[in-house]
Amino acid sequence: MAEDDLDAFRERWKQELTSKKEEKPLVRAPSTPCGVAGLSGRPISPPKPEEAGCTEEEGRAGGYVSIARSLLDGRTSPLLDRIQEERTRRKRQYHNRTNVCSASLQQQPERKVKRHQELVDQLIQDLNEVNDIPFFDIALPYELALKIFQYLDRAELGRCAQVSRAWRVLAEDSVLWFKMCTREGYHRDASVSDSPCWKSTLRDCRNSTKTVCSNWKNRVGAISQLQFELGKVLCDVSSCDNFVVAGYTSGDVRLWDTLHWDSKASFLKPNSLSANTEPRPHVSHVQVNSIVAAAAYEDGSVDLWSTGTGGEPIHHYQSPGRIQALALSPDSPVLGTAVGPDVRLDGADDRGYWRTSCQVASLVLVPGRGQLGPLAAMAAGEDVLLLDPQDDEPRTLHSVYGHPVTCLDASISHVALGVKRTGWAMNDGGNKIHVYSLETGKPDVCVGSSPGDFTCINLRDGSPHLLVCGNKDRRVRVFDLRAGSSVASLYAHHLGVTSVQADDWKIVSGGGEGLVCVWEMRMGAKLWEMHNRHPVRHVRFNTSTLVTANIPDDKSPRGACITDDDLTAHRRHRGVICHYDFSEDALSQDHILPICRSDYTESYGYNYNISLAVPYDRLSGSHLSH
């Protein structure tokens, strides 16, 4: 309908309504009660049903007129005016009927009947008013409504935001989205005032996590090689968060901050005794966390540096023999060393002074202790000891004659150890992994039945109920500690598994042949792999980065001349440390080597194609490095 036709229609409609209103004026109900004489002395009879019906119809017509006027004025929702007018009309009608009938009732009994009728009529009127309102509205205090909304997830909050304006304000409250953000693991150390819109912050974090996960699966990212002392051989590597520390046969220790790449604090000076020794002793063990870095030398000396300042050691001590095991707590400045049957724990007090806590294989410090002090799990031969500085002596957690412990790992609540079966004990099912509870000190579950020795266990990084381990029989196994059964068994490395780590959805394993493999845990499929010459002795990853170290077994390779063993080692004998970055910021062309940007038409660039993500990668990711 055109605009002129619509205006003409409105004018004709308005004239018709006006003419009808003038022809049929509203007739009010008589206010004189039944049976009461009028001015002429004759009783006035009550109105006839036809007249009453006509009056009611005229009242309705008045309501329709108001609706029509609202529509003519351009309003499409005259519901509120209609509700108010309907209430007013019913109240007027109710009072008229009450006044007509009140005089005809008797005094004493009439009061009871009148009260009864008033209550019934009031109830009916209230019910009619409830039916007139097409929605309900319950006003709750804002704090109480906020507590109810905090039990909803993201999708439910989105639905509630579409109900009304009041619900939208509740569903988009910053406190709700801040708690949801921290509950999902993002910005746990932040406060509510750190972001103007936590809903947008959570959305950005989830999109970033999704992108990083896709980059992991498709092998999209930047790769860097951390090199130092090109003429010496790599001895040991450790990484934690964004710090990577490495020790070399020259006695030097190098620290990298992969977040800032600060070269000024990367060189860690040795103690004066080791620096003045010629030749300088090799580095046997290194460890690092977010606070300190530690190194143990072949002569039994131990140095400790601050990751923030570097430079000179902040703590040093000399052991009577060679350090067999070195451990650093992941979340506190506590250092443990093992020399033969003796174990020493050193920790910093409130003023920063390092002191020896106690003196008592492999050594593992239990994370998550906080103010309770260090707790160490030690494996020495056939015994596994649990050492708490608050106790007078360590307590034995596991001891079986003829069954040496091959690997050890600890989480906040459990300790897992691989046990080697020898002699006649091979008939009882092969090598096992025993899991003990730190709270009770008793075994919880025993899993595994393998003819090969377990070489590595990862318990602290994955899901609380899953245990991932590597074996000399070339397989990576995943066990469910709740049921004590195997979840997955992956044929990974033909020279045995040397290191492994897992999280909620992926497994990264390293083998003796130099392969680093990334697996999808649920499907049990290999996503991709990378190869270097030497065995993989270190694998450590977080959300967006991966650090691997290929450490040679031979620390004194022959030089270029067959009669000269003192020259610098050839490049193929030094070992290598690789740092992979799968974050979004690493996708720029400046972070990728030219050979890594080659396409599949170049045969020599296929094996290095870390920056590409094509359908062929997704379909056959297990063949990317062949």
Side-chain angles (χ1 to χ4, degrees):
M1 181 181 295
E3 189 69 22
D4 298 337
D5 297 340
L6 182 59
D7 294 338
F9 174 74
R10 287 180 175 176
E11 293 295 334
R12 288 197 304 271
W13 193 8
K14 187 180 297 185
Q15 293 176 2
E16 292 179 2
L17 292 175
T18 306
S19 60
K20 289 182 179 180
K21 184 177 180 180
E22 293 176 355
E23 293 174 359
K24 297 182 179 180
L26 293 176
V27 180
R28 293 175 177 254
S31 58
T32 306
C34 299
V36 181
L39 296 176
S40 59
R42 290 180 298 176
I44 299 175
S45 61
K48 296 182 180 180
E50 293 80 1
E51 295 179 0
C54 182
T55 302
E56 185 175 359
E57 290 180 357
E58 291 177 355
R60 292 180 181 178
Y64 296 150
V65 170
S66 64
I67 295 175
R69 287 179 178 176
S70 300
L71 292 175
L72 290 174
D73 293 338
R75 291 182 295 169
T76 57
S77 296
L79 184 57
L80 296 178
D81 297 336
R82 179 183 175 186
I83 291 174
Q84 188 64 29
E85 292 176 3
E86 184 69 15
R87 289 178 179 174
T88 305
R89 186 186 65 80
R90 292 191 178 186
K91 287 182 180 179
R92 184 172 60 250
Q93 184 179 2
Y94 168 76
H95 290 302
N96 291 338
R97 291 179 180 177
T98 304
N99 294 333
V100 169
C101 299
S102 60
S104 61
L105 300 177
Q106 298 180 359
Q107 296 297 329
Q108 295 298 332
E110 287 175 354
R111 290 181 181 178
K112 295 183 180 180
V113 176
K114 178 181 179 181
R115 183 179 180 183
H116 177 71
Q117 289 181 352
E118 288 180 354
L119 292 177
V120 173
D121 293 340
Q122 184 67 32
L123 177 60
I124 294 174
Q125 182 180 2
D126 294 341
L127 292 176
N128 290 334
E129 291 181 357
V130 171
N131 293 333
D132 288 337
I133 301 176
F135 59 91
F136 68 93
D137 187 11
I138 301 177
L140 291 177
Y142 189 84
E143 293 78 7
L144 182 59
L146 203 63
K147 288 186 176 181
I148 297 175
F149 273 56
Q150 71 181 358
Y151 296 100
L152 305 179
D153 56 13
R154 298 185 307 274
E156 293 171 344
L157 285 177
R159 297 189 187 101
C160 291
Q162 301 176 7
V163 174
S164 62
R165 292 183 179 179
W167 282 36
R168 182 178 181 180
V169 172
L170 284 170
E172 294 184 355
D173 189 87
S174 296
V175 177
L176 287 179
W177 291 99
F178 168 72
K179 291 182 178 179
M180 187 176 299
C181 191
T182 55
R183 189 165 57 245
E184 295 189 10
Y186 306 111
H187 303 286
R188 292 183 176 178
D189 298 332
S191 59
V192 183
S193 59
D194 291 343
S195 175
C197 181
W198 280 102
K199 182 179 179 181
S200 301
T201 303
L202 179 60
R203 181 178 62 250
D204 296 339
C205 291
R206 290 183 61 85
N207 292 336
S208 177
T209 302
K210 184 178 180 180
T211 303
V212 170
C213 181
S214 177
N215 293 344
W216 265 99
K217 294 181 178 180
N218 296 305
R219 203 176 62 167
V220 178
I223 179 173
S224 305
Q225 290 188 2
L226 311 181
Q227 294 183 354
F228 180 71
E229 284 295 316
L230 298 181
K232 301 302 178 181
V233 179
L234 185 64
C235 294
D236 195 20
V237 176
S238 177
S239 63
C240 180
D241 296 335
N242 54 297
F243 293 105
V244 181
V245 63
Y248 297 86
T249 55
S250 60
D252 292 321
V253 180
R254 179 70 181 263
L255 176 68
W256 289 274
D257 186 352
T258 59
L259 186 61
H260 303 97
W261 297 104
D262 186 6
S263 59
K264 295 181 180 180
S266 61
F267 182 71
L268 304 180
K269 298 180 180 180
N271 60 85
S272 58
L273 181 62
S274 299
N276 297 328
T277 304
E278 290 295 339
R280 292 175 58 185
H282 296 184
V283 178
S284 58
H285 302 87
V286 292
Q287 289 289 321
V288 67
N289 61 13
S290 59
I291 305 173
V292 293
Y297 299 88
E298 292 287 343
D299 60 352
S301 60
V302 178
D303 289 337
L304 199 73
W305 298 271
S306 171
T307 56
T309 59
E312 297 291 340
I314 61 176
H315 182 57
H316 165 76
Y317 63 87
Q318 182 72 37
S319 298
R322 184 178 182 273
I323 303 295
Q324 298 177 347
L326 180 71
L328 193 62
S329 178
D331 52 3
S332 60
V334 178
L335 177 68
T337 55
V339 180
D342 299 330
V343 174
R344 171 174 173 171
L345 295 180
D346 291 70
D349 56 14
D350 297 336
R351 295 180 296 175
Y353 294 103
W354 282 77
R355 305 181 185 278
T356 302
S357 301
C358 60
Q359 290 184 347
V360 209
S362 57
L363 175 66
V364 175
L365 295 183
V366 179
R369 294 280 294 176
Q371 300 297 330
L372 300 179
L375 181 64
M378 301 161 291
E382 302 162 354
D383 300 331
V384 175
L385 304 177
L386 196 63
L387 175 61
D388 193 338
Q390 300 178 359
D391 299 336
D392 296 334
E393 59 182 13
R395 53 192 176 102
T396 302
L397 197 66
H398 174 85
S399 179
V400 178
Y401 177 74
H403 300 90
V405 178
T406 58
C407 53
L408 181 70
D409 193 24
S411 64
I412 298 178
S413 58
H414 290 87
V415 171
L417 51 111
V419 178
K420 178 181 178 60
R421 303 285 174 160
T422 58
W424 295 102
M426 290 294 293
N427 298 326
D428 60 1
N431 300 289
K432 302 284 187 180
I433 293 180
H434 296 271
V435 181
Y436 285 81
S437 172
L438 291 176
E439 183 178 358
T440 62
K442 297 180 180 180
D444 275 358
V445 66
C446 180
V447 297
S449 179
S450 171
D453 298 340
F454 288 100
T455 56
C456 49
I457 297 176
N458 184 244
L459 183 64
R460 68 178 65 184
D461 298 312
S463 300
H465 59 276
L466 293 182
L467 182 147
V468 182
C469 59
N471 199 287
K472 285 186 177 180
D473 64 356
R474 312 171 184 177
R475 290 189 174 273
V476 174
R477 292 178 172 85
V478 183
F479 295 98
D480 190 346
L481 301 181
R482 298 169 297 183
S485 59
S486 176
V487 177
S489 179
L490 311 173
Y491 185 86
H493 307 276
H494 65 274
L495 291 184
V497 184
T498 56
S499 56
V500 68
Q501 185 186 351
D503 61 3
D504 296 336
W505 67 272
K506 64 178 176 293
I507 302 173
V508 180
S509 62
E513 75 286 348
L515 276 177
V516 175
C517 301
V518 179
W519 307 81
E520 210 282 338
M521 185 182 300
R522 184 177 63 88
M523 300 299 295
K526 185 187 295 185
L527 298 176
W528 52 271
E529 63 185 20
M530 294 295 287
H531 178 266
N532 278 289
R533 184 181 299 274
H534 302 289
V536 182
R537 303 296 183 187
H538 177 78
V539 167
R540 189 72 185 174
F541 67 84
N542 54 22
T543 304
S544 59
T545 61
L546 169 65
V547 177
T548 63
N550 296 76
I551 302 175
D553 293 328
D554 188 5
K555 299 299 188 297
S556 301
R558 299 180 66 88
C561 180
I562 193 171
T563 60
D564 191 359
D565 296 334
D566 199 16
L567 296 178
T568 57
H570 193 272
R571 185 180 181 87
R572 64 176 179 268
H573 299 305
R574 297 170 188 165
V576 62
I577 306 172
C578 293
H579 178 268
Y580 302 83
D581 191 350
F582 301 97
S583 62
E584 296 177 275
D585 298 336
L587 297 182
S588 63
Q589 296 294 325
D590 297 337
H591 292 77
I592 304 173
L593 297 176
I595 194 172
C596 298
R597 295 195 294 267
S598 60
D599 52 22
Y600 286 103
T601 60
E602 304 173 7
S603 58
Y604 62 86
Y606 176 79
N607 192 41
Y608 303 95
N609 203 344
I610 191 75
S611 66
L612 297 181
V614 297
Y616 184 79
D617 285 19
R618 302 186 182 96
L619 293 176
S620 88
S622 61
H623 302 285
L624 287 177
S625 295
H626 289 277

